[in-house]
Amino acid sequence: MTVELETTAQAMVADGKGILAADESTGTIQKRFDSIGADCTEDNRRDYREMLFRASDAMTNYISGVILYDETLRQNAKDGTPISQIISDTGAIPGIKVDTGAKELAGCPGEKVTEGLDGLRERFAEYYDLGARFAKWRAVITIGDGIPSRTCIQTNAHALARYAALAQEAKIVPIVEPEVLMDGPHDIARCFEVTEAALNALYSELYTQKVHLEGTILKPNMVLSGTECGTQAGVEEVAEQTVKCLKRAVPSAVPGLCFLSGGQSDEDATAHLSAMNEMFDMPWKLSFSYGRALQAAALKAWGGKAENEAAAQSAFSHRAKMNSLAATGEWKTTLEKAA
Ligand code: 13P
């Protein structure tokens, strides 16, 4: 079992490859579709995602795995092929988001805890049969006045470890995602401090709950200035602080770290990742698991219209290629302009 987990985890961070996060819940994809004036019907959601997964240049060369939402893992493409098969035919691995969302944390105003543990063992067995070989669980940690609390950090770390242990029991690699949100006026030092605390709590819980680290992937946030902070750290400082924080807290047994984009611009998300890989030697692979930063340009080019599919696929392929270069530290801003 551990061999299968390790093989999958290593494939998820193969050289120059990263993960496409396409696991927006129905509510979140509705917001994305609203932004381009497309109807959020089940068929449209399927058509949009099928278009991405059929972008063969991006999928075969730059994408190691795709995180799906429950609905998509059960869907068939227009021609009847299961969506998960379209993904595996490109060589990428299908994955599944299994948490059921972040809810108010009792006793901790303004903070959240992620739900979805009840019945998870049975759901994992079904997801394995449907073709999923990795999973994702996202915890949300908010920085604000007097928060995050120790309660929030501990409670979320505990749930992440419960999830991770159940995933591994089902031969599914857990992506553990303790996301420290970038919203707020805090500075980069505060983001560092909170990220370090969240990661320390997480790895302590993963140890306590007997999770096999070599068969996991971490999905961290970058260490950034808050979006409303007056002083915004530049690319080199973000790279330095992020790597310093991760080196302190993430054991070298973890095969790979795939960042979330979290609301950064497409180019910032790429530039930060590339700078880290260019500037530092690290004990783990450092790659991407972007949602918005991989899809935003494609979504806009698509605009909900079938006749725009080719343009949308090339927009997606471009971002996938840029992030692939960033995963080996070879991205340059001039490559964006050339495109
Ligand atoms: P973003 O890259 O848009 O933050 O989404 C990644 C993700 O899957 C968050 O859980």
Side-chain angles (χ1 to χ4, degrees), residues 125 164 246 249:
L246 294 170

Side-chain angles (χ1 to χ4, degrees), residues 109-111 141-149 152 180-187 190-191 193-194 226 228:
E111 300 195 280
I141 294 155
T142 307
I143 300 181
D145 268 348
I147 59 172
S149 62
C152 173
V180 177
L181 297 177
M182 58 194 280
D183 312 88
H186 58 273
D187 62 11
R190 179 75 179 132
C191 180
E193 177 180 54
V194 172
E228 292 134 46

Side-chain angles (χ1 to χ4, degrees), residues 21 23 32 67 136 138 177 179 219 260-263 289-293:
D23 61 326
R32 307 277 186 264
I67 318 174
K136 181 191 106 173
R138 171 177 176 257
E177 179 181 10
E179 177 175 0
K219 179 160 173 164
L260 60 99
S261 59
S289 172
Y290 294 158
R292 284 162 284 182

Side-chain angles (χ1 to χ4, degrees), residues 19-24 28 32 67 97 99 136-140 175 177 179 182 219 258-264 269 288-295:
I19 293 167
L20 166 63
D23 61 326
E24 301 85 1
T28 302
R32 307 277 186 264
I67 318 174
K97 183 236 298 290
D99 67 68
K136 181 191 106 173
W137 179 289
R138 171 177 176 257
V140 180
I175 295 183
E177 179 181 10
E179 177 175 0
M182 58 194 280
K219 179 160 173 164
C258 296
F259 288 105
L260 60 99
S261 59
Q264 299 180 61
F288 57 90
S289 172
Y290 294 158
R292 284 162 284 182
L294 269 174
Q295 291 186 54

Side-chain angles (χ1 to χ4, degrees), residues 1-2 4-10 12-13 19 67 93-99 117 120 124 128 132-138 157-178 202-203 206 209-220 253-258 289:
M1 179 180 89
T2 53
E4 184 175 343
L5 291 170
E6 289 177 15
T7 306
T8 303
Q10 283 158 17
M12 289 164 71
V13 288
I19 293 167
I67 318 174
I93 308 168
I96 180 76
K97 183 236 298 290
V98 301
D99 67 68
L117 289 169
L120 188 54
F124 270 134
Y128 189 93
R133 292 296 177 268
F134 71 92
K136 181 191 106 173
W137 179 289
R138 171 177 176 257
H158 186 266
L160 273 162
R162 292 256 340 256
Y163 141 80
L166 284 165
Q168 291 192 330
E169 183 187 85
K171 295 182 288 189
I172 288 179
V173 169
I175 295 183
V176 287
E177 179 181 10
L202 173 63
Y203 283 98
L206 292 175
Q209 299 191 43
K210 305 183 189 303
V211 173
H212 181 67
L213 292 185
E214 291 84 347
T216 64
I217 295 289
L218 173 68
K219 179 160 173 164
V254 175
L257 284 49
C258 296
S289 172

Side-chain angles (χ1 to χ4, degrees), residues 220-271:
N221 54 281
M222 295 183 192
V223 174
L224 303 164
S225 315
T227 42
E228 292 134 46
C229 179
T231 325
Q232 290 290 314
V235 173
E236 287 198 0
E237 187 179 0
V238 168
E240 275 166 15
Q241 294 302 310
T242 302
V243 171
K244 183 176 178 187
C245 185
L246 294 170
K247 279 189 171 173
R248 280 192 188 177
V250 184
S252 53
V254 175
L257 284 49
C258 296
F259 288 105
L260 60 99
S261 59
Q264 299 180 61
S265 73
D266 295 358
E267 212 171 306
D268 280 354
T270 306

